[in-house]
Amino acid sequence: MDPYVIQMSSKGNLPSILDVHVSVGGRSSVPGKMKGRNTRWSVRPSDMANKTFNPIRAIVDNMKVKPNPNKTMISLSIGDPTVFGNLPTDPEVTQAMKDALDSGKYNGYAPSIGFLSSREEIASYYHCPEAPLEAKDVILTSGCSQAIEMCLAVLANPGQNILVPRPGFSLYRTLAESMGIEVKLYNLLPEKSWEIDLKQLESLIDEKTACLIVNNPSNPCGSVFSKRHLQKILAVAARQCVPILADEIYGDMVFSDCKYEPLATLSTDVPVLSCGGLAKRWLVPGWRMGWILIHDRRDIFGNEIRDGLAKLSQRILGPCTIVQGALKSILRRTPEEFYHNTLSFLKSSADLCYGALAAIPGLRPVRPSGAMYLMVGIEMEHFPEFENDVEFTERLVAEQSVHCLPATCFEYPNFIRVVITVPKVMMLEACSRIQEFCEQHYHCAEGSQEECDK
């Protein structure tokens, strides 16, 4: 038989249905059991789904305790500045969204990397002589989280590794491990206001290291790196030829006694992908508008990384077009007073919380310099009935109805993270309850009775 023969069989002269079989190389294509195919139903989640693991959800969801019914719950655990209603975005930001919606211009698809006009606005807003930007250097994303995901996906292959801070934002691990990328943890030093242990960091780098993640200002630490420290980080990256993913979503959210330095403004040769967005500075995390700024003055990324990011952006066809349409007005019309008032509140809340917790025996808060968080060390030897920070926070919920995140969520046991965006009256009440809790459970460590008697 010829390699390709079409056979038509019918009953009668003009059949209503043609029974068509295609014979390929003598093998009939009559429908039936496919070779090697198990015809029993067997639908399982993918390897990517099974590898996706969020440490915060795993720990918090397994905390089965109930809050004290006699005390109103105070949550110091949620990194969403909108939760309590005390930090609304500026009316100009809201009006920009209304105008974009009413214009009717932004109901269709945009280019997957974002409207050119919107990318020009971002480039203009963040451009400076030390780190020049054009629209071609900007990719708009669905929140900063997608920006981070795209950067990891374009820089690292399965089997390679990335360098991640400890303590650090748990999403880095969640995203990397779902893609088959190994996570190596470099240490931040609480006694040095959470600076990086640079020697330990450099010791982790090998031939499979794809990138270094630098989160500044930091979640969960609330720390802000000095210019000098950032230059030392860049020196390590330059020496080892490792590109940097800079998570700068809290950029410019620093207190008045500190200065934020965008990492790319200090880099002369290390290529940097900077991730940011509207979420935190403009207090609209639910609007899901983020961006990637490509800083590559030595053309180390070349066209390949840019093209790779553009291809990855096509997976979801870009972020919300209405928010893109509002960007120009948001960036140009938000008054400086709004930023100032937000930072003033956060600084006041941080000082209040730090002062109150520093006076409690057994706790060692680390003073923050920006962002929305404060880390508190627990001297576990003084709380022997608790095995770790997770048990400590569980009992704090059960007895005092105050919820902080155990820092095990951030790979840093025996600390807790406190969110400082809550209203002042709630922060005062929460600190009072934490003090009461610690006083009830504090025990002098063996051999330290003299210290306890002071």
Side-chain angles (χ1 to χ4, degrees):
M1 185 177 286
D2 293 332
Y4 300 94
V5 178
I6 296 180
Q7 300 174 322
M8 296 192 301
S9 59
S10 64
K11 297 175 182 179
N13 293 330
L14 293 172
S16 58
I17 299 177
L18 293 179
D19 184 8
V20 180
H21 301 160
V22 179
S23 180
V24 181
R27 298 187 299 277
S28 173
S29 68
V30 178
K33 192 170 184 178
M34 293 178 62
K35 186 176 181 181
R37 170 74 179 177
N38 185 348
T39 55
R40 294 180 180 178
W41 284 104
S42 179
V43 183
R44 298 288 182 269
S46 67
D47 288 344
M48 175 179 270
N50 285 331
K51 289 177 182 176
T52 300
F53 173 81
N54 188 319
I56 293 179
R57 292 269 53 88
I59 292 170
V60 173
D61 290 350
N62 285 323
M63 294 173 67
K64 304 301 183 183
V65 298
K66 295 181 179 179
N68 185 335
N70 298 317
K71 297 190 177 187
T72 304
M73 185 69 178
I74 300 177
S75 180
L76 304 179
S77 62
I78 304 172
D80 180 346
T82 72
V83 168
F84 299 100
N86 59 315
L87 289 173
T89 192
D90 190 80
E92 290 284 2
V93 177
T94 306
Q95 189 61 48
M97 278 289 278
K98 292 177 180 177
D99 292 345
L101 182 61
D102 290 342
S103 74
K105 297 178 181 179
Y106 304 104
N107 296 331
Y109 289 118
S112 62
I113 59 174
F115 286 123
L116 174 61
S117 58
S118 302
R119 290 184 289 116
E120 286 175 339
E121 289 298 327
I122 295 292
S124 175
Y125 190 81
Y126 288 102
H127 170 89
C128 63
E130 300 83 8
L133 284 170
E134 301 175 34
K136 67 181 179 65
D137 303 316
V138 179
I139 291 181
L140 301 184
T141 63
S142 182
C144 188
S145 297
Q146 196 211 4
I148 295 168
E149 179 182 31
M150 287 173 57
C151 290
L152 291 178
V154 81
L155 292 175
N157 283 310
Q160 289 188 286
N161 64 69
I162 61 171
L163 307 179
V164 171
R166 174 174 55 199
F169 185 35
S170 61
L171 187 70
Y172 306 141
R173 179 182 288 279
T174 300
L175 294 173
E177 292 187 343
S178 73
M179 296 185 233
I181 301 165
E182 180 189 359
V183 171
K184 289 188 172 184
L185 300 171
Y186 65 83
N187 294 327
L188 306 182
L189 304 172
E191 67 274 15
K192 293 187 176 181
S193 298
W194 301 110
E195 286 190 343
I196 297 173
D197 183 338
L198 294 169
K199 186 175 181 180
Q200 184 258 348
L201 164 67
E202 192 161 10
S203 73
L204 298 174
I205 299 172
D206 60 22
E207 70 281 356
K208 291 186 177 182
T209 300
C211 77
L212 162 63
I213 295 181
V214 178
N215 177 208
N216 180 54
S218 165
N219 174 13
C221 301
S223 54
V224 180
F225 292 147
S226 67
K227 180 178 180 179
R228 184 167 178 267
H229 189 61
L230 289 169
Q231 289 170 331
K232 289 181 178 180
I233 296 168
L234 286 165
V236 172
R239 195 158 52 241
Q240 299 295 339
C241 297
V242 175
I244 292 179
L245 190 172
D247 179 357
E248 298 179 321
I249 186 63
Y250 295 97
D252 295 310
M253 291 187 74
V254 300
F255 304 151
S256 55
D257 53 354
C258 199
K259 185 182 179 185
Y260 164 66
E261 304 274 359
L263 187 63
T265 62
L266 306 175
S267 176
T268 56
D269 51 0
V270 177
V272 176
L273 296 179
S274 172
C275 299
L278 290 182
K280 303 302 165 68
R281 193 177 189 211
W282 286 270
L283 306 175
V284 285
W287 291 10
R288 309 312 300 139
M289 175 55 65
W291 47 75
I292 301 168
L293 308 181
I294 305 169
H295 296 279
D296 186 28
R297 277 174 287 171
R298 292 281 297 275
D299 203 32
I300 293 168
F301 285 149
N303 290 328
E304 290 183 328
I305 295 299
R306 293 174 186 273
D307 291 347
L309 286 169
K311 290 175 183 177
L312 289 168
S313 73
Q314 294 165 7
R315 287 164 52 131
I316 71 162
L317 300 181
C320 176
T321 52
I322 297 171
V323 188
Q324 291 188 51
L327 273 176
K328 178 178 179 179
S329 294
I330 290 173
L331 298 178
R332 293 189 181 191
R333 289 165 47 184
T334 303
E336 285 298 320
E337 183 183 15
F338 166 74
Y339 305 126
H340 173 79
N341 290 344
T342 301
L343 292 176
S344 177
F345 171 83
L346 292 174
K347 174 70 162 64
S348 175
S349 184
D351 288 345
L352 186 159
C353 183
Y354 175 84
L357 299 185
I360 300 175
L363 298 185
R364 291 179 290 104
V366 181
R367 187 184 291 277
S369 298
M372 308 187 319
Y373 313 100
L374 178 149
M375 287 279 278
V376 184
I378 310 167
E379 297 175 342
M380 296 304 301
E381 68 273 17
H382 291 298
F383 301 98
E385 62 192 288
F386 308 130
E387 186 175 335
N388 50 41
D389 55 308
V390 176
E391 283 193 13
F392 183 95
T393 53
E394 284 179 335
R395 289 284 292 278
L396 183 58
V397 170
E399 296 179 20
Q400 297 291 341
S401 295
V402 174
H403 188 199
C404 304
L405 272 188
T408 292
C409 295
F410 309 105
E411 317 265 6
Y412 212 76
N414 301 334
F415 273 72
I416 57 175
R417 187 194 74 173
V418 175
V419 173
I420 59 173
T421 57
V422 301
K424 181 178 180 180
V425 64
M426 292 179 68
M427 180 61 78
L428 287 168
E429 174 64 19
C431 290
S432 175
R433 293 187 196 178
I434 293 171
Q435 179 178 355
E436 181 180 328
F437 176 81
C438 289
E439 288 174 351
Q440 289 174 347
H441 296 283
Y442 183 89
H443 293 275
C444 290
E446 189 173 338
S448 63
Q449 187 61 47
E450 288 185 11
E451 189 68 28
C452 290
D453 290 340
K454 289 182 180 179

